[in-house]
Amino acid sequence: MNTYDVAVIGAGATGASIAWQLLHYNLKVALLDRCADASFGVSKANSGIVHGGFHHSADSTLKAKLELEGNPMFDDLQKELDFEFVRCGILVVAYSDEELPQLQKLYERGVGNKVPGIEMCDRKRLLELEPKLTDAAVAGFFVPQGGVIEPYGYVFALVESAELNGVEFWR
């Protein structure tokens, strides 16, 4: 009978990340999933967005705090695990004057969260960043540290590294 110090349930983005992190400790870890392979559950529908840190207040939600701390980690993680990752930035756009208060609220939240490089943009700057933007665009802001990953590749890279380093993956 196998015994483990930790059993991680679910081999999606969260479970794979936890199992990969636990391999850095002197623990016997099992990663368990009911599906045929990693990332076949909820993570198969993951958008792959590496968020910029402006949706929620870092003072009020753990999600925002972890988003802000985790975002810069993707550069080193990508180098170590070799998954597809592009730091393309995030452009948030208002398409009418009625949307400007919500745009301002998100921008101010990003500033309050100390999001690096967040930039309010007029229409001219928006078109410099995205020349094919619709004529309806009024204003927006840009968050350069936002990015995208290929979700399956990300999860598989985490699980493969974890397995190579002693985590047992049970499917």
Side-chain angles (χ1 to χ4, degrees), residues 55-68:
H55 284 101
H56 308 281
S57 171
D59 294 335
S60 64
T61 69
L62 180 59
K63 178 178 179 173
K65 181 180 182 289
L66 295 176
E67 199 173 275
L68 289 161

Side-chain angles (χ1 to χ4, degrees), residues 8-25 29 31 38-39 43 46 70 73-74 77 81 83 149 151 154-162 167:
V8 179
I9 311 298
T14 302
S17 297
I18 291 168
W20 180 81
Q21 189 62 46
L22 289 173
L23 73 83
H24 297 87
Y25 300 90
V29 178
L31 176 60
S39 198
S43 291
N46 187 309
M73 294 178 182
F74 271 89
L77 192 59
L81 298 178
F83 57 88
I149 59 168
Y154 171 66
V155 173
F156 291 156
L158 288 164
V159 171
E160 287 173 2
S161 178
V167 171

Side-chain angles (χ1 to χ4, degrees), residues 77-141:
L77 192 59
Q78 189 276 332
K79 288 176 189 163
E80 182 174 341
L81 298 178
D82 193 31
F83 57 88
E84 291 185 43
F85 169 57
V86 178
R87 196 170 287 288
C88 54
I90 297 172
L91 196 57
V92 180
V93 179
Y95 295 100
S96 69
D97 289 341
E98 291 79 26
E99 293 178 349
L100 290 175
Q102 181 63 23
L103 179 84
Q104 187 67 34
K105 180 179 175 182
L106 290 172
Y107 172 76
E108 289 172 6
R109 188 172 297 137
V111 170
N113 287 349
K114 297 179 178 65
V115 170
I118 191 168
E119 171 191 357
M120 185 57 85
C121 304
D122 60 13
R123 180 161 171 71
K124 180 182 176 196
R125 177 67 174 135
L126 288 174
L127 292 172
E128 288 172 7
L129 293 165
E130 180 48 70
K132 294 184 180 185
L133 199 59
T134 177
D135 290 340
V138 176
F141 64 89

